[in-house]
Amino acid sequence: AGDLYVYITVKDHRYFIRKGDDIYLDIDVPFTQASLGTVVDVPTLEGTATLKIPECTQPETCFRLKGKGIPHLQGFGKGDQYVTVKVEVPRKLSSKEKTIIEELANIRGDHQVKDFVRPI
């Protein structure tokens, strides 16, 4: 003859973050693949899914995998999974890599920092 209190604690996952019925995941993509485009297999709650990353994908771009989240408690369907692309920039460059990137900068005309400043 009393009240029963049940407390549930959800343990943090190694890869996923849950927000409501949606799941969030960050993936690292080399800057070459973000520039050229690629296809990657990403983990989901039910295995893996194929994600197409189009060419010229910018850092922090978020893709939605519809219906790959947590099942809704009230009714039908599932939440979504959101995959955020974290573009990996190399920490060291070989002399050949540096030459190639300098050549790309020359082709694109990327030489002056003032070109990258955005007005407010």
Side-chain angles (χ1 to χ4, degrees), residues 39-51:
V39 176
V40 295
D41 289 332
V42 294
T44 67
L45 296 176
E46 298 173 349
T48 60
T50 301
L51 176 65

Side-chain angles (χ1 to χ4, degrees), residues 29-38 54-56 87-90 97 101:
V29 177
F31 85 101
T32 53
Q33 296 303 305
S35 298
L36 299 172
T38 190
E55 66 179 45
C56 300
V87 177
E88 293 179 328
V89 178
E97 290 170 325
I101 292 174

Side-chain angles (χ1 to χ4, degrees), residues 21-22 66-80:
D21 291 338
D22 295 328
K66 188 172 178 163
K68 297 292 185 184
I70 304 290
H72 298 304
L73 291 178
Q74 306 295 332
F76 299 99
K78 292 182 177 185
D80 299 324

Side-chain angles (χ1 to χ4, degrees), residues 49-63:
T50 301
L51 176 65
K52 180 182 178 190
I53 298 176
E55 66 179 45
C56 300
T57 295
Q58 299 297 307
E60 302 299 320
T61 299
C62 188
F63 296 96

Side-chain angles (χ1 to χ4, degrees), residues 13 15-19 22-26:
H13 192 274
Y15 302 114
F16 302 117
I17 295 173
R18 179 180 179 177
K19 293 182 183 174
D22 295 328
I23 297 294
Y24 292 81
L25 172 72
D26 293 342

